[in-house]
Amino acid sequence: MRLNELNAPERRLWDSYSAGRAVDVLADPASSASPASSAGPASSADPAILADAAIRADVIAALLLGTVDHAPGDRPALRLTGAHITGRLDLRFTEITVPVVLTDCRFDEAPLLQGARTRELVITGCALPGLVADTAQIDARLVLSRCRMTGPLVLTRAQINGDLDLRDTAISFPDGEAISAVHVRVGGDALCRELALEGGFRLSGASVDGEFDLEGASLRNPGGHALDAYHVHITEDFTFHPGFSAEGRIILSGATVAAAIGFCGARLSNAGDLALEAVDVTVARNFDLGRGLTVDGGVKLDGTSVGTELSFRDARLTHTDGTALSLRATQARETDLRTRRPIDGVVDARNARLGTLYDAQDTWPADLRLAEATYDALAFPLPAAERIRWIRRTGGGYLPQPYEQLAAAYRRLGHEDEARTVLLAKQRHRRGTLSPYTRLWGHVQDVAVGYGYRPARAGLWLTALLACGALFFALHPPAPLEAGKAPQFNAVFYTLDLLVPIITFGQEGAFAPRDTAQWLAYGLIACGWILATAVTAGVSRALSRQ
C-alpha cells in the first residue's frame, strides 16, 4: 500500500501506529468533522462526518500485519476512535503482535478473526454487523463492551487468556445464535452485565477460570434456547442476579460450578415449557433460586448436587397443569422451599435427598410428590396431624415410604408419640387399597389397638368389657354345673375367664349360664379372641417397624 493513496485520517493513523498513540478521527483539525465531544460516536454521526472519518479496513490490516517498520524502543499499537471502517477487516489465520483498541467506530462489514492470534483486542462503543473469531487465540483480554451488533458474535473454540468483557453490549440476531461460543476457553472472568441479546446464546462446553457474571442481562429467544450452557465449567460464581431476565429456555445441564449459582431477583419466562433446565449440575456451594426469582414455566433440577443450600426462599414459580419444580434425585445439605406463595403446579421430589428441609405450611404446594425422598431433619416439624396432610398432598395411590421417612424424622427428634401417629395414618391409608374382607379386619385392628400404635386401647376395651360382664353376672349369677362342688362364684373372675383366652381361673367350667347370660358369655369369648388377635398382630407390626 502506497502512502500517497492514504486519505487524511488514514495517514494520521499510519503515522501514529509505531508510537502507539491514540487517534481520534473526529478530533482531527484537518477534518471538517465536529469534535468527538460534540458529534458523539461515528455510529450516530451524520453522513458528512462519516465520509471525513472513513478508514479502509485494508489500511488497518496492513498496519497490523507489519507493513510499518519500527524503530528500536517503539511500542506500536493501533488505537483508533470515531472511525468509519469501510470494507472487510480480514485478519483470518494471522498473528497480530500489538494491542488493538477501537472506540466509537462503525464497521460496514463484520470483522474476520477466525484462527487469528492477537495480544489484546478492545472494541468499545462500536457498531458492527457481527464479529467472527472462532478458534482465535487472544493472549490477554477480549473486550466488546457498549457495542451494538446486528449480526452474530462467533467465539467457538476461541481461547481467551484474560477476561471476556461483553458489558452493556446489545446483539440482535433473532433468526439464529446471537452469540456462539461453544467450547470457548476464558482464562479470567466472563463479564456480561447488562448484555442484551435477541437470539440464542450458545455456550455449551465452555470453560471459565473466574466468575461468569450475567447481572442485569436480558436474553430473548422466544420458543428457543435463550442460554445453552450445557456442560460448562465455571471456577467461581455463576450469577444471574439481580435484574437478569430471559425469554426462552435456560440450559445449565451438566454444568460444574466450583462456587455458587444465583438467580436472585431474576425473571425467567418460557410459558408452557421448561424455563430452567439444570439436570445433573454440580455446585460446590449454594444454588440460590430465591429472593425475588419469578419463573413462568418449569424448573427441572433432576440429579443436581448442591454442596450446601438449595434455596427457593421467596421465589414465585408458575407452571399450571405441569411440573413447576422437579427435584428428582437432587441432593443438597439444606433445602429451603419457603416460596413467596404456593407453587402453581406439581412439585416432584421423588428420590431426592434434601438434607435439612425448610418449608412453610401456608406455601405448601397443592401437588407434592415425595416417593422415596429423604431428609435428615425438618427445620419446622409441626404436629404430626399437620405433617400427615403434607404427605397426603401427593397424587397417585398409597406409598409407604413417605410415612416411614416422616416417622423416622420425628424419632430423631425424640417425638415417639408423633412417630406412632404417622405410622397409624400409614396403615389407615393402606387399608383403602385392600380387599373388602381384609379392610374389615383392618377396621377391627384400628378400633381395638390402633394397629398396634395405640396399645392402651386394649386395656380400655378389656376394662369396659370386664365391667359390663361383671355387672351383669353379679346381678344374674349362673347356676353351678354340680351343686356343692363348684367354687364360690365371683363375677369378675368369671368374666375374666370368658375374656382372656388360655388363662383360666376355674370359674368358666364350673358354671352354666342360660338364655341371655349364655349369649353374653359367647360374645365375651369372641371379643376376647378378637382383642387378643388384634393386639398380637398390631404389636408385632409396630415392633417390627422399630
Side-chain angles (χ1 to χ4, degrees):
M1 181 168 291
R2 298 176 181 177
L3 293 181
N4 59 5
E5 296 176 347
L6 302 180
N7 62 26
E10 291 171 348
R11 183 58 186 262
R12 188 175 175 213
L13 178 65
W14 195 278
D15 294 340
S16 302
Y17 175 77
S18 295
R21 294 193 303 270
V23 175
D24 187 343
V25 173
L26 297 180
D28 185 352
S31 172
S32 61
S34 302
S37 59
S38 61
S43 59
S44 62
D46 61 41
I49 292 176
L50 293 179
D52 285 333
I55 292 181
R56 288 170 291 170
D58 289 345
V59 174
I60 295 174
L63 286 170
L64 294 177
L65 296 180
T67 301
V68 177
D69 294 329
H70 311 310
D74 282 350
R75 294 186 178 182
L78 192 145
R79 295 184 172 91
L80 179 62
T81 299
H84 173 204
I85 300 173
T86 62
R88 172 89 68 182
L89 182 58
D90 190 346
L91 297 169
R92 288 177 291 179
F93 305 104
T94 61
E95 183 169 354
I96 303 165
T97 60
V98 301
V100 178
V101 181
L102 302 172
T103 305
D104 295 336
C105 296
R106 174 189 171 187
F107 289 79
D108 283 348
E109 299 182 55
L112 301 178
L113 288 91
Q114 181 182 23
R117 179 174 182 179
T118 183
R119 296 294 183 263
E120 180 178 66
L121 179 58
V122 178
I123 302 176
T124 59
C126 295
L128 305 91
L131 175 65
V132 180
D134 49 319
T135 68
Q137 181 175 336
I138 299 170
D139 294 338
R141 58 181 179 146
L142 171 60
V143 178
L144 284 164
S145 63
R146 297 188 295 104
C147 293
R148 299 296 176 264
M149 301 176 66
T150 56
L153 170 61
V154 181
L155 296 174
T156 297
R157 294 189 180 277
Q159 181 172 332
I160 303 164
N161 293 330
D163 293 342
L164 171 62
D165 189 346
L166 301 177
R167 286 178 291 184
D168 298 295
T169 286
I171 304 176
S172 179
F173 192 60
D175 297 329
E177 293 176 356
I179 298 180
S180 179
V182 177
H183 291 290
V184 69
R185 297 289 182 267
V186 179
D189 298 329
L191 304 173
C192 300
R193 295 181 184 177
E194 305 299 332
L195 174 68
L197 297 185
E198 293 280 344
F201 188 173
R202 191 176 180 201
L203 198 69
S204 52
S207 175
V208 178
D209 291 341
E211 67 172 325
F212 199 134
D213 188 356
L214 281 155
E215 178 181 332
S218 173
L219 311 182
R220 294 189 71 255
N221 192 21
H225 299 158
L227 173 64
D228 182 356
Y230 174 76
H231 216 276
V232 298
H233 293 258
I234 312 296
T235 300
E236 296 181 18
D237 291 338
F238 199 177
T239 56
F240 297 80
H241 59 248
F244 174 83
S245 66
E247 186 174 351
R249 182 180 295 194
I250 300 291
I251 299 176
L252 304 182
S253 296
T256 301
V257 180
I261 299 178
F263 280 88
C264 299
R267 298 180 63 87
L268 310 182
S269 177
N270 198 25
D273 201 349
L274 285 178
L276 174 60
E277 179 186 326
V279 176
D280 294 329
V281 173
T282 301
V283 185
R285 296 207 303 263
N286 297 340
F287 197 157
D288 198 338
L289 289 151
R291 286 186 265 177
L293 171 67
T294 301
V295 182
D296 184 7
V299 175
K300 187 175 184 180
L301 306 181
D302 296 355
T304 287
S305 176
V306 181
T308 52
E309 183 182 37
L310 172 61
S311 176
F312 296 90
R313 181 75 180 271
D314 293 328
R316 297 176 63 177
L317 277 61
T318 302
H319 191 36
T320 307
D321 301 325
T323 300
L325 176 59
S326 181
L327 298 174
R328 298 184 64 175
T330 298
Q331 301 180 40
R333 189 180 301 173
E334 295 182 355
T335 305
D336 194 335
L337 293 176
R338 292 174 290 180
T339 53
R340 182 175 301 181
R341 65 183 187 186
I343 295 175
D344 186 2
V346 176
V347 176
D348 188 350
R350 287 177 287 177
N351 296 291
R353 297 171 60 185
L354 303 176
T356 300
L357 179 60
Y358 295 79
D359 63 355
Q361 190 173 0
D362 58 349
T363 61
W364 283 346
D367 192 342
L368 175 63
R369 301 179 182 179
L370 291 170
E372 303 305 322
T374 61
Y375 39 87
D376 299 329
L378 292 167
F380 310 105
L382 300 177
E386 299 296 334
R387 280 293 173 188
I388 290 167
R389 283 195 283 272
W390 176 63
I391 290 176
R392 294 296 293 270
R393 288 173 176 257
T394 186
Y398 162 74
L399 295 170
Q401 188 273 339
Y403 291 97
E404 294 171 0
Q405 171 62 40
L406 180 57
Y410 278 118
R411 284 202 177 106
R412 283 193 291 271
L413 294 171
H415 298 169
E416 186 62 34
D417 288 344
E418 304 284 25
R420 290 177 177 272
T421 298
V422 172
L423 295 173
L424 174 57
K426 182 193 79 167
Q427 292 298 331
R428 289 172 174 169
H429 192 178
R430 174 178 175 271
R431 188 169 64 210
T433 67
L434 304 175
S435 64
Y437 297 109
T438 309
R439 199 155 54 237
L440 177 61
W441 173 239
H443 280 290
V444 171
Q445 292 186 77
D446 193 356
V447 171
V449 288
Y451 283 98
Y453 300 111
R454 297 289 184 265
R457 289 186 186 177
L460 295 175
W461 279 110
L462 183 63
T463 301
L465 291 171
L466 178 60
C468 291
L471 179 60
F472 180 87
F473 289 119
L475 298 175
H476 306 89
L481 287 175
E482 297 183 29
K485 293 185 178 181
Q488 183 177 357
F489 180 75
N490 187 301
V492 173
F493 284 96
Y494 180 74
T495 305
L496 278 174
D497 254 352
L498 297 174
L499 281 173
V500 181
I502 303 173
I503 298 176
T504 179
F505 293 98
Q507 293 279 318
E508 180 185 0
F511 298 92
R514 298 180 182 277
D515 302 325
T516 302
Q518 185 176 8
W519 287 108
L520 177 59
Y522 291 158
L524 290 173
I525 292 171
C527 287
W529 277 104
I530 292 172
L531 189 60
T533 305
V535 168
T536 302
V539 171
S540 297
R541 180 186 301 105
L543 291 176
S544 67
R545 289 299 181 188
Q546 296 179 32

